[in-house]
Amino acid sequence: MRLADEEQDILGGIQGPIRQQALRHQIKVGEFFGAADFVPVTQAHIMADTESLGEAGVHWLEGLAASADARRIRVPTITDPRGTDFSKASMLGQSAAMLDLERRAIAAFEQLGVTMTDTCINYQTIQAPVRNEHVAFGDTGVVIYSNSVCGALSNFEGGPSALAAGLTGRTPRYGFHLASQRRATLHIRVDFAPRSLNDWGALGGVIGRIAGNYWAVPVIEGIEEPPLSDPLKHFGAAMASFGSTALYHIAGVTPEAYRLADVASNDLPHHRVTRDNVVALQKSYHTDTGVDVVVFSAPQLSLYELRDLASLCDGRHFTVPLLAVTSPQVKPDADRAGYTARIEQAGGHVLSGMCFYQSYAREIAEANGWKRLATNSAKLVNILGGYGYRPMLASMEACVEAATSGELKLT
C-alpha cells in the first residue's frame, strides 16, 4: 500500500506502539482487499460484545489499555450493544462470570478513550453520518443504514479493524469507500407497499437472499412513498442479515439514487418481489403457536417504537416474559415519557444498552427455559435459530397479544 508521510511515521513507531500495532493490522487488511492507500475517517463504531470476545479478546483489550500510550483514540469511537444490562442481569439468568468479563471489557475500552454508547442505532441517537463522509463502522445494521440512507461510506469493519481506525483515524480505501463499488449490481422491482415493521424486515430478508453476497448492491424500484427511519432500520438490518448486504439504493428515496440512472445501467439482472414472496418468508417462521418469550430487539428500539409498544401494553397483564431492548440514549426519554412504566406495569421489561442475540442468548434460554420466541424483527429470527431457539416472526401487535395469552395467532 502507498503510505503518506504521517502513516510512515505511525508505522515507524513515532506515535507510539498502539498506533503502530493498529496500522500494521490495517495494512494487512488493506493488502488482502487490494487497497491502494488509506482514506481518513471521521468516526468509528466497534463491534465488541464479550460473548464474541471471550476471555482471550478481553485480555487482548486489557493489554492495549495497559500500554503507556493508552487513551490514543484519535476520532470519535463508539461501541455497539454490550452483553448485558447490569440492572436486568439477574432476571436474564446471566452468570457472575459473564458480568465480570463485561466489566473488564468496559474498563479497557474506557482506558483507551472509547466512548461507551452501547448502541446499534447510533444513526438515530448519537451522530448520524452525512453523505460522502468516510467512516469505519462495524455493526452490519449500522453500516447498511449509514451507507444507504445517509450516503456515508463504510465497509463492515471487524472489531479489531474498527478499533484500529479509531486509533489511527483512517482505514484502507477499498470496497464501499470507492465510487465504482457503489453502483447497483441488480435491479429489484417491488409491487406492493409494506405496512408494518415486520413487513419491512421481511422484505429486506427477501431482497437480501436474492442479493446473496457482500458485494451485491440492489437498487429497488416501486417504493412510492418514502419510508421513515424505523421501517428503513428494519429493512436494512434484515437485508444485511439475510444477504450480507452493505449497501442498497431505493430509486427516488435514498441520496445516491435520485434517479434510477444515477446508480444503475440498463443491463442489470432484474428481479420482481411480490407480497407473496414476503408472506412466504414470514410463514416460514410460523412454526408453533405457543410462546415462551417475546423479544423486541435487533435493532434496538427507537423512542417511537417504545411509544407504540407502550400503547399496546395498556390494560394488559403478561403471562410470558416480554423484553424490549433499547439504547442508553433512548431509555431516559422513554422513562421521562412514561413509556417504560406502561410497558413494565403490564409485566414487561425494558432493557438498555444490550442486544438480545449478543447477550449469551443460548445461555439465557437454558437458564429460563425459553425456546419458542416471538419477535417482529426479521433480523432476530434469522439469527436465533443458530442459538437453539424456534423463532417466530409476527407483527408487534401479535407479539404483545402472545405475551398476554401465551399463544401466537398466525396469519
Coordinates of all heavy atoms in Angstrom, one line a residue, residues 288-295 318-323 356 364-365 368-375 388-392 399 402-403 405-408:
D288 N -45.0 -22.6 15.4 CA -45.7 -23.0 16.6 C -46.7 -22.0 16.9 O -46.7 -20.9 16.3 CB -44.7 -23.2 17.7 CG -45.1 -24.2 18.8 OD1 -46.3 -24.3 19.0 OD2 -44.3 -24.9 19.3
T289 N -47.5 -22.3 17.9 CA -48.5 -21.3 18.4 C -48.1 -20.9 19.8 O -48.5 -19.8 20.3 CB -49.9 -21.8 18.3 OG1 -50.0 -23.0 19.0 CG2 -50.3 -22.0 16.9
G290 N -47.5 -21.8 20.6 CA -47.1 -21.5 21.9 C -45.9 -20.6 21.9 O -45.0 -20.7 21.0
V291 N -45.8 -19.7 22.9 CA -44.7 -18.8 23.0 C -44.1 -18.8 24.4 O -44.8 -18.8 25.4 CB -45.1 -17.4 22.7 CG1 -44.0 -16.4 23.0 CG2 -45.5 -17.3 21.2
D292 N -42.8 -18.9 24.6 CA -42.1 -18.9 25.9 C -41.6 -17.5 26.2 O -41.5 -17.1 27.4 CB -40.9 -19.8 25.9 CG -41.2 -21.2 25.6 OD1 -42.3 -21.7 26.1 OD2 -40.5 -21.9 24.8
V293 N -41.3 -16.7 25.2 CA -40.8 -15.3 25.5 C -41.0 -14.5 24.2 O -41.0 -15.0 23.1 CB -39.3 -15.4 25.9 CG1 -38.4 -15.9 24.7 CG2 -38.7 -14.0 26.3
V294 N -41.3 -13.2 24.5 CA -41.4 -12.2 23.4 C -40.3 -11.2 23.5 O -40.0 -10.7 24.6 CB -42.8 -11.5 23.5 CG1 -42.9 -10.3 22.5 CG2 -43.9 -12.4 23.3
V295 N -39.6 -10.9 22.4 CA -38.4 -10.1 22.4 C -38.5 -9.0 21.3 O -38.8 -9.4 20.1 CB -37.1 -10.9 22.2 CG1 -35.9 -9.9 22.1 CG2 -36.9 -11.9 23.3
F318 N -49.2 -9.6 31.3 CA -48.4 -10.6 30.5 C -48.3 -11.9 31.3 O -48.0 -11.9 32.5 CB -47.0 -10.1 30.1 CG -47.1 -8.9 29.2 CD1 -46.2 -7.8 29.4 CD2 -48.0 -8.8 28.2 CE1 -46.2 -6.7 28.5 CE2 -48.1 -7.7 27.4 CZ -47.2 -6.6 27.5
T319 N -48.5 -13.0 30.6 CA -48.3 -14.3 31.2 C -47.0 -14.9 30.8 O -46.6 -15.9 31.4 CB -49.4 -15.3 30.8 OG1 -49.4 -15.4 29.3 CG2 -50.8 -14.7 31.2
V320 N -46.3 -14.4 29.8 CA -45.0 -14.8 29.4 C -44.1 -13.6 29.4 O -44.6 -12.5 29.1 CB -44.9 -15.6 28.1 CG1 -45.8 -16.8 28.1 CG2 -45.3 -14.7 26.9
P321 N -42.8 -13.7 29.6 CA -41.9 -12.5 29.6 C -41.9 -11.8 28.3 O -41.9 -12.4 27.2 CB -40.5 -13.1 29.9 CG -40.8 -14.5 30.5 CD -42.1 -15.0 29.8
L322 N -41.9 -10.5 28.3 CA -41.8 -9.6 27.2 C -40.6 -8.7 27.5 O -40.6 -8.0 28.5 CB -43.0 -8.8 27.0 CG -43.0 -7.8 25.8 CD1 -44.4 -7.7 25.2 CD2 -42.5 -6.4 26.1
L323 N -39.6 -8.7 26.6 CA -38.4 -7.9 26.7 C -38.3 -6.9 25.6 O -38.4 -7.3 24.4 CB -37.1 -8.8 26.6 CG -37.1 -10.1 27.5 CD1 -35.8 -10.8 27.3 CD2 -37.4 -9.8 28.9
F356 N -30.3 -8.6 22.3 CA -30.6 -9.9 22.8 C -29.7 -11.0 22.3 O -29.2 -11.8 23.0 CB -32.1 -10.3 22.4 CG -32.6 -11.5 23.0 CD1 -33.0 -11.5 24.4 CD2 -32.5 -12.7 22.3 CE1 -33.4 -12.7 25.0 CE2 -33.0 -13.9 22.9 CZ -33.4 -13.9 24.2
I364 N -29.0 -17.8 28.2 CA -30.2 -17.2 28.7 C -31.4 -18.1 28.5 O -32.2 -18.3 29.4 CB -30.5 -15.8 28.0 CG1 -29.5 -14.8 28.5 CG2 -31.9 -15.3 28.3 CD1 -29.6 -13.5 27.7
A365 N -31.5 -18.7 27.3 CA -32.5 -19.7 27.0 C -32.5 -20.9 28.0 O -33.5 -21.3 28.5 CB -32.4 -20.2 25.6
N368 N -33.6 -19.9 31.6 CA -35.0 -19.5 31.7 C -36.0 -20.5 31.1 O -37.2 -20.3 31.2 CB -35.3 -18.2 31.1 CG -34.6 -17.1 31.9 OD1 -35.1 -16.6 33.0 ND2 -33.4 -16.6 31.4
G369 N -35.5 -21.5 30.4 CA -36.4 -22.5 29.8 C -37.1 -21.9 28.5 O -38.2 -22.3 28.2
W370 N -36.4 -20.9 27.9 CA -37.0 -20.3 26.7 C -36.6 -21.0 25.4 O -35.4 -21.3 25.3 CB -36.6 -18.9 26.6 CG -37.0 -18.0 27.7 CD1 -38.1 -18.2 28.5 CD2 -36.5 -16.7 28.1 NE1 -38.2 -17.1 29.4 CE2 -37.2 -16.2 29.2 CE3 -35.4 -16.0 27.7 CZ2 -36.9 -15.0 29.8 CZ3 -35.1 -14.8 28.3 CH2 -35.9 -14.3 29.4
K371 N -37.5 -21.4 24.6 CA -37.2 -21.9 23.3 C -38.0 -21.3 22.2 O -37.5 -20.9 21.1 CB -37.4 -23.5 23.3 CG -36.9 -24.2 22.1 CD -37.0 -25.7 22.2 CE -36.3 -26.4 21.1 NZ -34.9 -26.2 21.0
R372 N -39.3 -21.2 22.4 CA -40.2 -20.6 21.4 C -40.3 -19.1 21.6 O -40.8 -18.6 22.6 CB -41.6 -21.2 21.5 CG -41.6 -22.8 21.3 CD -42.9 -23.4 21.7 NE -43.2 -23.1 23.1 CZ -44.3 -23.5 23.7 NH1 -45.3 -24.1 23.0 NH2 -44.5 -23.3 25.0
L373 N -39.7 -18.3 20.7 CA -39.5 -16.9 20.8 C -40.3 -16.2 19.7 O -40.1 -16.5 18.5 CB -38.0 -16.5 20.8 CG -37.6 -15.1 20.9 CD1 -36.3 -15.0 21.7 CD2 -37.5 -14.4 19.6
A374 N -41.1 -15.2 20.1 CA -41.8 -14.4 19.1 C -41.2 -13.0 19.0 O -40.8 -12.4 20.1 CB -43.3 -14.3 19.5
T375 N -41.1 -12.4 17.9 CA -40.5 -11.1 17.7 C -41.0 -10.5 16.4 O -41.5 -11.2 15.5 CB -39.0 -11.2 17.6 OG1 -38.4 -9.9 17.5 CG2 -38.5 -12.0 16.5
G388 N -30.4 -22.2 19.1 CA -31.2 -23.2 19.7 C -32.7 -22.8 19.9 O -33.5 -23.5 20.4
Y389 N -33.1 -21.6 19.4 CA -34.4 -21.1 19.6 C -35.3 -21.6 18.4 O -34.8 -22.0 17.3 CB -34.5 -19.6 19.6 CG -34.0 -19.0 20.9 CD1 -32.6 -18.7 21.0 CD2 -34.9 -18.6 21.9 CE1 -32.2 -18.1 22.2 CE2 -34.4 -18.0 23.0 CZ -33.0 -17.8 23.2 OH -32.6 -17.2 24.3
R390 N -36.6 -21.6 18.6 CA -37.6 -21.7 17.5 C -38.2 -20.3 17.3 O -39.2 -20.0 17.9 CB -38.6 -22.7 17.8 CG -38.1 -24.1 17.8 CD -39.1 -25.1 18.2 NE -40.2 -25.1 17.3 CZ -41.3 -25.9 17.5 NH1 -41.4 -26.7 18.5 NH2 -42.3 -25.9 16.6
P391 N -37.5 -19.4 16.5 CA -38.0 -18.0 16.4 C -39.2 -17.9 15.5 O -39.3 -18.6 14.5 CB -36.8 -17.3 15.8 CG -36.1 -18.3 15.1 CD -36.3 -19.6 15.8
M392 N -40.1 -17.0 15.9 CA -41.4 -16.8 15.1 C -41.5 -15.3 14.8 O -41.3 -14.5 15.7 CB -42.6 -17.3 15.9 CG -42.6 -18.9 16.0 SD -43.9 -19.5 17.0 CE -43.1 -19.4 18.7
C399 N -47.3 -10.0 18.7 CA -46.4 -10.4 19.7 C -46.8 -10.0 21.1 O -46.7 -10.7 22.1 CB -45.0 -9.7 19.4 SG -44.1 -10.5 18.0
A402 N -49.5 -12.2 22.1 CA -48.9 -13.5 22.5 C -48.3 -13.5 24.0 O -48.4 -14.4 24.7 CB -47.8 -13.9 21.6
A403 N -47.7 -12.3 24.3 CA -47.2 -12.2 25.7 C -48.4 -12.2 26.7 O -48.2 -12.6 27.8 CB -46.4 -10.9 25.8
S405 N -51.5 -13.8 26.2 CA -52.3 -15.1 26.2 C -51.3 -16.3 26.2 O -51.8 -17.4 26.5 CB -53.1 -15.2 24.9 OG -52.3 -15.2 23.7
G406 N -50.1 -16.1 25.8 CA -49.2 -17.3 25.6 C -49.3 -18.0 24.3 O -48.6 -19.0 24.0
E407 N -50.2 -17.5 23.5 CA -50.4 -18.1 22.1 C -50.2 -17.0 21.1 O -50.7 -15.9 21.2 CB -51.9 -18.6 22.1 CG -52.2 -19.7 23.1 CD -51.6 -21.0 22.7 OE1 -51.4 -21.3 21.5 OE2 -51.2 -21.8 23.6
L408 N -49.5 -17.4 20.0 CA -49.3 -16.5 18.9 C -50.3 -16.9 17.8 O -50.3 -18.0 17.3 CB -47.8 -16.7 18.4 CG -47.4 -15.8 17.2 CD1 -47.4 -14.3 17.7 CD2 -46.1 -16.1 16.7

